């Protein structure tokens, strides 16, 4: 099959982009998901979008290709190009213009009337031209209704379709707002599409910490936000990040969390099978189907808010018992910024000033081990550290012992 940079199924290209970008470019021999020809086609397709951002290095195993992007030097996320490389059949394009042209003049028509109009108005001018089947036209009309290009109104046993009226919008006055939105918002691909309509785009913004990778999850995220907005259930197809196998689960989506440290996005949902709150990484969701409206959504959302009061990150352990942690920190003269930092970063914890040179941080969370990286940033100031989960304190002091030995200490850290 000849190579083409266009795609029909974004879910498939999302998988390829993840293989090539997220998990690193694999060699032709390492890539076993498809044939060698498929590997070459998909690699060339990605190179056609991202060629200027690709680098390589040579080692004993051969040439290793990877993507190298400095977000401070680019105004726009290059991964949005994957959403704009969709292919259409000749019939898709033909029906698109026929349908919109007929409805522009006739107002509202049924699917049967549109088929007849196509035959009389356009195909009658060609020899041996066969009109499209009514079922094909109905599918295209339903697709355009879902996209908001057409509206459908039931009249008796028939459905009338008409073009939706759209007031002209001066997007040029929104150039800077769209430039910021497209790079900062989790579904910024919408802003990227709008920017393509501008006469002149804005390059006013650069981002030092810019997580461009998760643009690939925009389609899944938009459907999850739709489910949350409409209070619907969702049937998820999820790939296990450990075993690699796919599994299906129907859940009640409640909130979306985004890490400011990694940019990774998570869905917090009510798990019907386990009857509890749970998290799922959005980049592990392969497919989503919207279900019916959840009658108890308000109750689940209230439980979610109560549950979130004891979240440090997205790890919930067993989710049934809280772990108590206390950290006493010393504050030197002129170091009031330490207290301000604790107040700023305490999340679900509390900060208590004990005296002029000491304060205590206290938190009750589902998984205190998740706090270890943050606790380590106070090494040298910690006077006392206690946790109901002994694994946390044992790990903290053991790491400190190893660090002391590594840098030439006496190997006996004070506890």
């Amino acid at each position: 099959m000849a190579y083409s940079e266009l795609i029909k199924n974004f879910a498939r290209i999302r998988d390829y982009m993840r293989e090539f970008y997220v998990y690193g470019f694999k060699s032709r021999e390492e890539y076993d998901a498809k044939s060698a020809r498929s590997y070459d086609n998909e690699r060339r397709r990605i190179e056609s979008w991202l060629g200027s951002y690709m680098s390589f290095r040579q080692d004993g195993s051969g040439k290793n290709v990877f993507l190298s992007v400095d977000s401070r030097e680019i105004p726009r996320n290059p991964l949005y190009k994957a959403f704009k490389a969709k292919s259409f059949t000749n019939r898709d394009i033909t029906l698109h213009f026929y349908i919109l042209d007929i409805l522009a003049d006739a107002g509202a028509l049924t699917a049967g009337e549109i088929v007849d109009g196509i035959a009389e108005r356009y195909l009658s001018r060609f020899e041996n031209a066969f009109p499209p089947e009514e079922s094909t036209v109905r599918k295209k009309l339903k697709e355009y209704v879902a996209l908001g290009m057409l509206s459908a109104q039931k009249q008796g046993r028939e459905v009338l379709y008409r073009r939706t009226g759209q007031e002209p919008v001066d997007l040029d006055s929104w150039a800077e707002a769209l430039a910021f939105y497209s790079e900062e918002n989790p579904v910024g691909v919408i802003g990227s599409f709008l920017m393509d309509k501008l006469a002149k785009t804005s390059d006013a913004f650069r981002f030092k910490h810019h997580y461009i990778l998760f643009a690939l999850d925009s389609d899944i995220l938009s459907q999850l936000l739709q489910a949350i907005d409409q209070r619907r259930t969702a049937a998820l197809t999820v790939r296990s990040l450990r075993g690699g196998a796919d599994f299906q689960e129907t859940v009640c989506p409640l909130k979306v969390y985004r890490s400011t440290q990694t940019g990774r996005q998570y869905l917090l949902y009510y798990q019907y099978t386990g009857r509890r709150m749970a998290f799922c990484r959005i980049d592990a969701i392969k497919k989503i189907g919207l279900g019916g409206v959840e009658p108890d959504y308000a109750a689940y959302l209230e439980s979610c808010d109560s549950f979130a009061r004891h979240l440090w990150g997205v790890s919930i352990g067993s989710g049934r018992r809280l772990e108590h942690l206390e950290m006493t920190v010393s504050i030197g003269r002129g170091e009031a910024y330490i207290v301000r930092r604790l107040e700023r970063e305490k999340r679900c914890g509390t900060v208590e000033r004990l005296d002029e040179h000491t304060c205590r941080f206290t938190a009750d969370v589902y998984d205190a081990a998740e706090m270890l990286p943050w606790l380590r940033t106070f090494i040298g100031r910690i006077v006392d550290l206690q946790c109901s989960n002994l694994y946390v304190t044992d790990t903290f002091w053991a790491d400190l012992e190893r660090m002391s030995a590594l840098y030439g200490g006496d190997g006996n850290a004070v506890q």
Side-chain angles (χ1 to χ4, degrees):
M1 185 179 81
Y3 159 73
S4 169
E5 70 169 307
L6 301 178
I7 61 172
K8 273 188 167 296
N9 185 349
F10 185 77
R12 187 183 68 170
I13 203 61
R14 181 174 178 244
D15 287 340
Y16 281 123
M17 292 284 280
R18 184 167 293 139
E19 289 291 333
F20 288 123
Y21 186 86
V22 182
Y23 304 127
F25 269 77
K26 296 181 178 179
S27 69
R28 209 169 189 262
E29 293 73 25
E30 293 174 322
Y31 189 75
D32 55 4
K34 294 286 184 179
S35 66
R37 175 176 289 184
S38 294
Y39 169 84
D40 291 333
N41 285 341
E42 302 309 330
R43 179 180 56 80
R44 286 197 296 267
R45 178 178 285 117
I46 294 174
E47 285 180 355
S48 72
W49 303 329
L50 306 172
S52 59
Y53 305 103
M54 296 177 67
S55 301
F56 72 92
R57 58 172 173 264
Q58 198 84 23
D59 58 23
S61 62
K63 180 180 178 181
N64 294 320
V65 185
F66 58 94
L67 295 178
S68 178
V69 180
D70 186 344
S71 60
R72 294 171 297 180
E73 297 181 358
I74 59 173
R76 282 171 286 282
N77 189 336
L79 298 183
Y80 289 149
K81 293 181 180 180
F83 289 90
K84 303 172 184 179
K86 186 169 182 178
S87 65
F88 301 90
T89 66
N90 292 338
R91 177 160 290 188
D92 284 330
I93 293 296
T94 302
L95 282 180
H96 173 82
F97 288 106
Y98 284 173
I99 291 172
L100 295 185
D101 189 47
I102 287 176
L103 292 179
D105 297 335
L109 296 173
T110 66
E113 290 171 335
I114 292 174
V115 172
D116 293 340
I118 291 174
E120 295 171 7
R121 190 166 173 177
Y122 307 105
L123 300 183
S124 61
R125 301 175 181 273
F126 301 94
E127 293 183 5
N128 302 322
F130 294 96
E133 295 181 1
E134 187 171 329
S135 61
T136 301
V137 174
R138 285 186 186 278
K139 290 179 182 178
K140 183 61 66 175
L141 292 171
K142 288 181 179 180
E143 178 186 342
Y144 284 3
V145 169
L147 291 172
M149 297 169 60
L150 302 179
S151 63
Q153 180 182 3
K154 188 138 189 188
Q155 192 174 75
R157 300 180 63 182
E158 297 284 355
V159 178
L160 295 176
Y161 297 91
R162 69 174 71 245
R163 292 179 61 166
T164 54
Q166 296 181 349
E167 296 295 329
V169 178
D170 179 19
L171 286 178
D172 290 329
S173 63
W174 291 80
E176 291 189 355
L178 288 173
F180 182 80
Y181 173 89
S182 65
E183 302 305 311
E184 186 62 21
N185 195 274
V187 284
V189 65
I190 299 171
S192 180
F193 272 101
L194 292 174
M195 286 180 66
D196 292 341
K197 300 180 181 295
L198 298 178
K200 184 178 180 181
T201 58
S202 171
D203 292 345
F205 301 101
R206 295 294 188 277
F207 299 87
K208 182 178 180 182
H209 302 293
H210 193 24
Y211 305 108
I212 67 172
L213 170 64
F214 302 101
L216 298 175
D217 302 325
S218 298
D219 188 34
I220 295 294
L221 180 58
S222 66
Q223 294 178 71
L224 290 173
L225 293 175
Q226 182 182 354
I228 292 172
D229 181 61
Q230 298 176 359
R231 301 193 165 198
R232 294 178 176 271
T233 62
L236 307 181
T237 300
V238 184
R239 171 167 293 178
S240 171
L241 296 174
R242 293 184 178 179
D246 294 348
F247 64 92
Q248 286 79 35
E249 185 173 25
T250 299
V251 304
C252 180
L254 296 169
K255 289 188 177 182
V256 172
Y257 282 69
R258 194 182 196 194
S259 170
T260 57
Q261 295 173 306
T262 65
R264 188 167 285 143
Q265 300 169 134
Y266 300 83
L267 172 68
L268 175 60
Y269 60 89
Y270 181 77
Q271 185 183 59
Y272 292 113
T273 55
R275 296 184 179 181
R276 64 169 190 159
M277 299 294 168
F279 275 101
C280 175
R281 271 174 48 175
I282 291 180
D283 63 335
I285 301 175
K286 296 184 62 177
K287 185 180 178 182
I288 175 174
L290 297 185
V293 174
E294 170 54 66
D296 296 324
Y297 194 91
Y300 290 142
L301 192 58
E302 185 178 349
S303 298
C304 169
D305 292 338
S306 176
F307 175 80
R309 293 191 190 108
H310 297 287
L311 280 175
W312 182 260
V314 294
S315 178
I316 60 176
S318 66
R320 290 180 171 84
R321 186 171 61 182
L322 296 177
E323 297 174 354
H324 183 77
L325 181 139
E326 291 186 6
M327 175 178 66
T328 305
V329 177
S330 65
I331 305 165
R333 186 183 299 275
E335 292 184 338
Y337 64 90
I338 298 297
V339 181
R340 292 197 296 270
R341 183 193 162 197
L342 282 169
E343 289 286 355
R344 185 175 65 250
E345 300 177 5
K346 65 182 180 180
R347 301 191 190 181
C348 57
T350 59
V351 177
E352 177 188 4
R353 191 68 181 259
L354 300 180
D355 54 44
E356 184 180 355
H357 298 292
T358 315
C359 68
R360 178 185 295 140
F361 167 81
T362 306
D364 292 293
V365 296
Y366 292 109
D367 187 1
E370 198 177 21
M371 303 174 66
L372 277 168
W374 182 72
L375 298 175
R376 293 187 185 107
T377 64
F378 292 94
I379 286 177
R381 298 183 180 278
I382 298 177
V383 176
D384 183 55
L385 180 64
Q386 302 292 332
C387 184
S388 59
N389 182 353
L390 295 180
Y391 168 81
V392 175
T393 50
D394 290 346
T395 300
F396 180 86
W397 295 117
D399 288 347
L400 197 57
E401 292 280 1
R402 285 195 294 270
M403 185 181 70
S404 178
L406 180 64
Y407 288 98
D410 57 12
N412 295 310
V414 178
Q415 296 190 30

